[in-house]
Amino acid sequence: MLRYVYAHDLNQHRELAHSMFVDRADQFKTRLGWDVSVDGHGEERDEYDALDPLYVIWEQPDGSHGGSMRFLPSTGPIMVNDVFPELTGEDAISSPLIWECTRFCLSRDASGNVAGALTLGGLEIMRNFNIAHFAGVFDRRMVRIYRSLGFSPEIVGTMGEGRDRICLGLWDYSTEAYHRVAERAGIQTELSTLWFDRSFGGAGRLGPVALTG
């Protein structure tokens, strides 16, 4: 199931949080070879994790991390402005209607369409928080994945060539996209709504559910 957890509440989900940061180290440091910091506990964190971001986390039936994304409002520090200013033409992104999405991570043993579930979770945030756009930096291999999930961004900036090319994308919210992603993820919108409400003090408890698709 999906959980929505602010950084200041991660201590209430210690094992889930630990496995998320360990999986981030595995994906970004070990598999992709990024220049990221891994601490003595095997966890990958950066300065943006200290800004109380909102995490969307797929929790597997055993309580461990299956996949996650990190979200921050663009009215504060975000990676696009701080690390990749060339992609914005030096015009910083800053709007209460735009949040940045980073650290899209899938564990090695994630089952089912976890990427689709996480994408649907992002759309739940947009739908419930009245966010018009997500901004994010990605490499070219992700273009096909976004297309398969039914939620492709508008590319507003590029940098580099070939395998090193990266893009800045803007994702727009729409009801059509919300239902399309839910269908491709194999998750009923009613179930997605319950997961969101449970995290934010709404509708009742819901146990882990297997993904289809």
Side-chain angles (χ1 to χ4, degrees), residues 98-134:
I98 303 175
W99 281 30
E100 183 185 56
C101 174
T102 57
R103 289 303 195 258
F104 183 92
C105 176
L106 298 174
S107 72
R108 288 179 185 257
D109 57 353
S111 60
N113 190 1
V114 175
L118 293 173
T119 303
L120 182 58
L123 281 157
E124 285 288 0
I125 292 174
M126 299 180 90
R127 185 170 75 96
N128 287 277
F129 290 0
N130 295 315
I131 299 168
H133 310 284
F134 280 150

Side-chain angles (χ1 to χ4, degrees), residues 37 160 164 172 178 183:
S37 298
D164 297 325
D172 298 338
Y178 174 70
E183 181 179 2

Side-chain angles (χ1 to χ4, degrees), residues 184-201:
R184 296 192 184 184
I187 299 174
Q188 294 182 350
T189 56
E190 294 83 1
L191 181 57
S192 179
T193 299
L194 282 173
W195 284 336
F196 187 90
D197 288 344
R198 178 185 179 186
S199 292
F200 289 99

Side-chain angles (χ1 to χ4, degrees), residues 25-117:
D26 178 54
Q27 176 169 312
F28 301 126
K29 183 76 170 182
T30 304
R31 286 185 274 164
L32 295 178
W34 290 8
D35 182 17
V36 296
S37 298
V38 178
D39 66 18
H41 301 288
E43 299 182 353
E44 185 275 315
R45 298 175 187 257
D46 65 14
E47 61 268 35
Y48 299 94
D49 291 302
L51 299 178
D52 200 26
L54 175 60
Y55 301 94
V56 176
I57 307 172
W58 178 259
E59 181 178 354
Q60 304 203 91
D62 65 357
S64 65
H65 168 265
S68 56
M69 294 190 292
R70 180 179 69 187
F71 298 89
L72 279 168
S74 67
T75 50
I78 56 173
M79 292 188 72
V80 167
N81 294 335
D82 300 342
V83 183
F84 305 104
E86 301 92 340
L87 291 173
T88 66
E90 305 294 337
D91 294 325
I93 295 174
S94 180
S95 168
L97 299 178
I98 303 175
W99 281 30
E100 183 185 56
C101 174
T102 57
R103 289 303 195 258
F104 183 92
C105 176
L106 298 174
S107 72
R108 288 179 185 257
D109 57 353
S111 60
N113 190 1
V114 175

Side-chain angles (χ1 to χ4, degrees), residues 129-145:
F129 290 0
N130 295 315
I131 299 168
H133 310 284
F134 280 150
V137 177
F138 57 92
D139 58 41
R140 65 176 187 170
R141 67 190 171 85
M142 295 298 297
V143 173
R144 177 182 59 81
I145 295 174

